[in-house]
Amino acid sequence: MTLLRTPTALLGFAILFALALVALLAPLLFPADPLSIAGPALLRPFQDASLPLGTDRLGRDVLAELVHGARTSLLVGLAAAATSIIIGSVVGTLAGFLGGILDEVLMRVTDAFQTVPGFLLALAFVSVVGPSLPVVVFAIALGAWTGPARVARAEVLSIRERDYVAGARAIGMHPLKIAFREVLPNALPPVLALSSVIVAAAVLTEAALSFLGLGDPNRITWGGMIAEGRTILRFAPYLSIIPGIALVLTVLGVYLAGEGVVEASAARKVRA
């Protein structure tokens, strides 16, 4: 297992495994409502064993908020990555396999989306539609599907002339069936390699939207915790520092895991 012998991948997956475990066990670790008052306001970290990370200005448990916030960050990151890869793969496959006018139209649409920064697109979409978790996920995917679309198109262009594709055409298989049953599965690996970058960007974008007050108001988010702490940053900096560290660790873990997978794939190709 080359992947297990890559230190970068091991560290990245260890961080992600720990975060995923914490997120999954959040209802068991902190079954009470994390937004309920748990103690005196602005209790500093490590002053009370029952509240190890202290409380915010309303007396809510910072550790409980942090753990439940991990669920939101990971959910948004994974859901946005899956949505953008699905949209991008479909668009790229149709453009690359069918070609012609459809290819031109889809690629010009892709160019149009790429001209707008992903965060600004997500910001505008959420501002118009309204903040909720599905809306945030779709808004982030709107700015992230173009990369998978271009990679999928390039792969499909190189695959569509292969012998097994010609054989499928010869037996009368429908073009769309050939595209999505025969071609797309072989074009997916390079597209999936983008998932780590998309997840990391999605986590940061969700935090930024929550920081601006455009996250799901019914969910605890790390961006919202940072935004709440900034109003009293001089007196209680830990309220922003703690979720900020969690955010950095999450993005670092995703990045290291993705880099490790790339290194392992490159090592396998060299040996082959």
Side-chain angles (χ1 to χ4, degrees):
M1 292 290 288
T2 306
L3 186 60
L4 296 180
R5 292 197 296 269
T6 307
T8 302
L10 284 176
L11 179 58
F13 280 112
I15 294 173
L16 291 180
F17 177 77
L19 288 170
L21 187 63
V22 167
L24 289 173
L25 295 179
L28 298 178
L29 296 173
F30 298 96
D33 184 358
L35 295 177
S36 61
I37 296 176
L42 297 178
L43 179 68
R44 293 187 175 276
F46 312 119
Q47 289 187 346
D48 188 336
S50 63
L51 300 166
L53 294 184
T55 59
D56 62 11
R57 60 179 181 172
L58 298 178
R60 298 175 296 195
D61 188 353
V62 173
L63 181 58
E65 290 182 296
L66 190 71
V67 170
H68 281 270
R71 295 169 62 88
T72 303
S73 293
L74 292 178
L75 178 61
V76 168
L78 295 174
T83 304
S84 60
I85 286 174
I86 290 171
I87 296 173
S89 297
V90 171
V91 172
T93 300
L94 290 175
F97 190 79
L98 299 180
I101 297 298
L102 182 62
D103 183 21
E104 286 294 322
V105 171
L106 291 178
M107 286 301 98
R108 297 298 76 77
V109 172
T110 303
D111 291 339
F113 272 88
Q114 281 191 314
T115 59
V116 182
F119 176 70
L120 292 182
L121 188 61
L123 183 65
F125 186 82
V126 175
S127 299
V128 172
V129 179
S132 67
L133 200 62
V135 170
V136 169
V137 169
F138 187 72
I140 295 172
L142 276 180
W145 67 269
T146 55
R150 289 196 172 278
V151 173
R153 176 180 179 270
E155 288 296 313
V156 169
L157 285 174
S158 66
I159 293 173
R160 69 179 185 178
E161 302 302 331
R162 295 183 183 176
D163 292 341
Y164 70 89
V165 178
R169 287 195 182 101
I171 64 175
M173 187 179 291
H174 193 279
L176 290 180
K177 186 177 290 186
I178 298 174
F180 290 103
R181 180 177 294 181
E182 304 295 334
V183 176
L184 180 57
N186 294 301
L188 270 182
V191 178
L192 294 177
L194 297 174
S195 59
S196 61
V197 177
I198 298 174
V199 170
V203 170
L204 289 175
T205 302
E206 185 278 327
L209 291 173
S210 297
F211 182 82
L212 295 174
L214 293 174
D216 191 332
N218 299 317
R219 288 180 175 267
I220 295 176
T221 64
W222 289 341
M225 294 175 66
I226 295 172
E228 185 176 345
R230 69 175 173 171
T231 59
I232 49 174
L233 190 61
R234 182 174 299 178
F235 307 103
Y238 66 92
L239 292 178
S240 292
I241 291 174
I242 291 174
I245 292 174
L247 191 60
V248 169
L249 284 176
T250 301
V251 174
L252 180 63
V254 172
Y255 173 78
L256 291 178
E259 285 294 304
V261 171
V262 171
E263 290 178 13
S265 300
R268 282 197 296 269
K269 288 181 180 178
V270 169
R271 285 201 302 271

